[in-house]
Amino acid sequence: MNKHIFRSYIDNITQYYGIPEEKIFSGTKHYELVEPRRLFFYLCNKKGIPVVTIQKFLEGIGYMAEHSTIIRGIQKITQTIESNEEYQKVLARLEVITANV
């Protein structure tokens, strides 16, 4: 049901950062990959998608994320967003749902 939302957010994030989906969801802990991954968690959460649903989608694309990892990622990126006004402009671009249903 939410697959088109997930796909749209991933497309937006990969285009904005210029990083392939496979790298973002590779589990690498380099910040340039962690930030887009956290933004994905944040956008899904902001849309009202439950963490368990996010987790199941990620499992479907081969990325295993613990429930606590997703929650912690949302908390971390929320702090970053609140302390950096530039993120508001970025979020406005990333949260647009563009994928077809």
Side-chain angles (χ1 to χ4, degrees), residues 4-14 39-40 43-47 49 94-99:
H4 71 287
I5 295 170
F6 294 136
R7 284 275 120 221
S8 185
Y9 287 158
I10 290 171
D11 289 346
N12 294 348
I13 290 168
T14 56
L39 278 170
F40 175 76
L43 291 170
C44 292
N45 182 259
K46 185 176 177 186
K47 190 74 172 169
I49 299 171
L94 297 180
E95 63 189 352
V96 175
I97 305 297
T98 55

Side-chain angles (χ1 to χ4, degrees), residues 7-42:
R7 284 275 120 221
S8 185
Y9 287 158
I10 290 171
D11 289 346
N12 294 348
I13 290 168
T14 56
Q15 287 176 25
Y16 179 77
Y17 283 94
I19 301 171
E21 175 182 343
E22 297 79 26
K23 281 196 170 192
I24 293 173
F25 297 106
S26 67
T28 304
K29 296 187 181 190
H30 296 290
Y31 190 74
E32 64 270 4
L33 301 176
V34 171
E35 181 179 327
R37 194 162 47 231
R38 288 178 177 169
L39 278 170
F40 175 76
F41 300 157
Y42 175 86

